[in-house]
Amino acid sequence: MKKVFGSAAEALDGLLQDGMFIAAGGFGLCGIPELLLQAIKEAGTRDLTFASNNAGVDDFGIGILLQTRQVKKMISSYVGENAEFMRQYLSGELELEFNPQGTLAERMRSGGCGIPGFYTKTGVGTVIADGKDHKDFDGETYILERGIVADLSIVKAWKADATGNLVFRKTARNFNPPAAMCGKVCVAEVEEIVPTGSLDPDGIHLPGIYVHRIVQGEHEKRIEQRTVRAKKEPV
């Protein structure tokens, strides 16, 4: 089965529809599937629900889809650094389901593993627990969280081979693997496609069975918050 496509638009061909549920990888501005998000913007697909740790910034990541009002709902952990996200949420234009980061990652991983739900202590006694099933284990109260199964997963990896085995770099590994696992179809954009068999099996972070389509492209290396020290004059 062919997995390698020539462009992000080609890789998404036939997969997009209004009202769909998309799981997107990325942590801060690391590992964001920017080419696929741009292709979704250009396709004009609307009323989208995204499960993603955050929504990028105003002009990058999911932020570009917020600008064009293509996103209906976000399932997220962190919503800072994005003024348009905040404006739409506070004005009632955007639905928001807050999830603790570990809970969100586990919901994605569980969905990818065929686990419909799990109990966690995180969020007990807060608004996160409202309307959720509570159960006691060994004298402690837990809440039920449902696994996430998305219509489509979009992720960004460092390397791939033609069969879809993926390798991520550093922080980009936080949410991309579970996001990739939970989609009925997974499309990955990568910096480099290497010959099949050249990746060390022990170094593969996500096996190709989870990945259906791959596109290689050029990516922007952004710094979310640049922090530097003033240069010291020699004594």
Side-chain angles (χ1 to χ4, degrees):
M1 182 179 82
K2 174 189 174 184
K3 290 191 176 183
V4 180
F5 289 74
S7 69
E10 289 177 20
L12 291 172
D13 184 42
L15 300 179
L16 300 178
Q17 60 183 16
D18 291 348
M20 71 185 309
F21 182 14
I22 301 176
F27 186 83
L29 299 185
C30 299
I32 289 178
E34 59 197 80
L35 306 179
L36 295 168
L37 288 168
Q38 182 63 36
I40 292 172
K41 176 183 177 180
E42 293 171 0
T45 315
R46 309 193 69 82
D47 296 324
L48 299 171
T49 295
F50 269 92
S52 175
N53 176 62
N54 58 287
V57 290
D58 289 321
D59 61 344
F60 191 69
I62 297 174
I64 64 173
L65 299 178
L66 291 169
Q67 289 180 332
T68 52
R69 307 295 195 278
Q70 290 172 252
V71 181
K72 176 182 70 175
K73 179 179 178 179
M74 289 292 306
I75 302 173
S76 295
S77 299
Y78 180 67
V79 298
E81 318 302 335
N82 194 318
E84 181 60 20
F85 187 121
M86 181 172 63
R87 189 200 67 76
Q88 289 188 27
Y89 172 59
L90 294 177
S91 65
E93 300 173 36
L94 178 70
E95 296 178 51
L96 174 60
E97 180 183 333
F98 268 124
N99 273 220
Q101 286 185 327
T103 299
L104 181 58
E106 181 61 15
R107 289 184 68 193
M108 291 177 173
R109 191 199 70 85
S110 293
C113 293
I115 299 170
F118 59 92
Y119 283 93
T120 176
K121 289 180 65 175
T122 307
V124 172
T126 74
V127 294
I128 297 295
D130 290 352
K132 295 177 180 175
D133 182 56
H134 289 60
K135 192 174 182 65
D136 288 347
F137 295 92
D138 301 321
E140 299 283 348
T141 301
Y142 294 73
I143 56 174
L144 177 66
E145 294 284 359
R146 295 297 306 271
I148 286 175
V149 177
D151 298 313
L152 171 68
S153 293
I154 55 173
V155 298
K156 192 260 180 178
W158 177 36
K159 290 183 179 181
D161 63 20
T163 69
N165 292 313
L166 300 184
V167 178
F168 302 93
R169 290 198 74 236
K170 303 184 186 298
T171 307
R173 191 176 170 187
N174 283 3
F175 272 90
N176 272 298
M181 292 172 66
C182 74
K184 296 176 183 176
V185 177
C186 174
V187 182
E189 61 182 72
V190 301
E191 296 181 30
E192 182 182 3
I193 298 176
V194 300
T196 300
S198 65
L199 294 176
D200 178 357
D202 287 334
I204 292 171
H205 299 141
L206 188 78
I209 192 171
Y210 287 107
V211 181
H212 301 85
R213 300 183 181 185
I214 311 162
V215 59
Q216 182 177 343
E218 298 294 324
H219 295 86
E220 183 178 354
K221 303 290 187 181
R222 285 210 178 192
I223 299 174
E224 189 167 0
Q225 296 288 348
R226 186 182 297 274
T227 304
V228 297
R229 292 181 295 178
K231 182 179 179 181
K232 290 184 178 182
E233 296 297 329
V235 177

